[in-house]
Amino acid sequence: MSQRITVIDYGMGNLRSVAKAVEHVASAQDEVLVTDDPELILNSDRVVFPGQGAARDCMAAISGHHLNRAVLEAANSKPFLGICMGQQVLLEQSEENGGTELLGLFAGQVRHFPGGVAPDGEALKIPHMGWNRVNRQTDHPLWQGIDQDSRFYFVHSYYVDPQQQDLIAATTDYGVSFASAIARENLFAVQFHPEKSADDGLRLLKNFVNWNQ
């Protein structure tokens, strides 16, 4: 059966790479649509919410495209995948710029990495950029076929700190142990970039496309 998979376009994020990766793992009958139309988003079967950049700019772009309600309704009603900033803005507030209000779907803060020193004695650079291990905390369907401690690609200076610990679907260590994936019912969101994470990233996207939650 064919389905429409919508990638939300609010002017920020690596949208084409995400859309191409989703097209690669979707069936030939599926439609992958990049759009900022709230009606199309809410009439889709699945929604991907990517993003990158600064939290304040991201929130301004979401509001400017009149997408606040559509994002929240989609996150509460259909299979929904948040990527990078698309994970962070689901929380209440970011430490960026002395405090930036976010969408507030989940209680919690988005915090700046403290820096520090890696086990090998090297200084931890901010942003956290490159490949790092993801330690699954749940047996979520989106992890199917992905080994424990598989490596995914990250680019970020902030990380989510949800108030509800049972939201955490995976953790990653970078000076601190942080939530690199969160999940609830129909929603899954990751800090890393599956579209840049080789075979395991494509497997996660394929699992999302086929997810019957």
Side-chain angles (χ1 to χ4, degrees):
M1 186 173 66
S2 64
Q3 57 181 341
R4 174 185 286 167
I5 306 164
T6 293
V7 179
I8 297 178
D9 178 7
Y10 55 97
M12 296 181 69
N14 200 12
L15 301 175
R16 298 300 166 187
S17 293
V18 172
K20 288 295 184 185
V22 174
E23 287 174 355
H24 181 75
V25 300
S27 75
Q29 292 74 40
D30 292 337
E31 177 188 10
V32 179
L33 179 67
V34 178
T35 183
D36 67 348
D37 185 325
E39 185 175 351
L40 288 175
I41 293 166
L42 292 175
N43 286 326
S44 297
D45 299 293
R46 300 174 190 273
V47 172
V48 181
F49 181 40
Q52 60 189 34
R56 183 167 292 175
D57 293 343
C58 179
M59 288 301 301
I62 292 169
S63 296
H65 287 255
H66 308 291
L67 288 170
N68 300 60
R69 183 183 65 84
V71 170
L72 290 172
E73 285 192 19
N76 279 312
S77 64
K78 58 188 75 231
F80 183 98
L81 177 64
I83 297 174
C84 195
M85 184 59 71
Q87 180 205 45
Q88 292 185 11
V89 297
L90 299 176
L91 273 70
E92 293 175 308
Q93 189 179 62
S94 172
E95 291 181 343
E96 187 179 330
N97 295 317
T100 297
E101 296 299 314
L102 305 176
L103 291 174
L105 182 63
F106 299 122
Q109 302 289 312
V110 178
R111 305 191 186 281
H112 192 268
F113 277 115
V117 178
D120 62 4
E122 290 291 322
L124 294 172
K125 297 179 180 178
I126 310 299
H128 171 216
M129 183 166 60
W131 296 84
N132 205 340
R133 289 184 174 84
V134 171
N135 185 272
R136 300 193 316 267
Q137 302 295 304
T138 66
D139 291 325
H140 195 281
L142 265 66
W143 297 131
Q144 183 179 351
I146 298 172
D147 291 337
Q148 181 66 288
D149 292 326
S150 290
R151 296 169 70 86
F152 290 83
Y153 190 81
F154 291 82
V155 184
H156 62 126
S157 299
Y158 293 79
Y159 63 93
V160 299
D161 182 15
Q163 195 172 102
Q164 296 174 253
Q165 294 299 294
D166 60 359
L167 287 173
I168 299 174
T171 59
T172 295
D173 291 324
Y174 195 72
V176 295
S177 177
F178 68 92
S180 50
I182 59 175
R184 185 196 68 184
E185 299 170 352
N186 59 293
L187 178 146
F188 197 87
V190 298
Q191 182 61 68
F192 52 82
H193 289 269
E195 77 281 5
K196 297 180 180 179
S197 296
D199 290 346
D200 284 327
L202 290 176
R203 180 57 192 256
L204 187 142
L205 291 175
K206 187 173 183 65
N207 290 341
F208 173 72
V209 167
N210 296 325
W211 181 25
N212 294 315
Q213 49 81 36

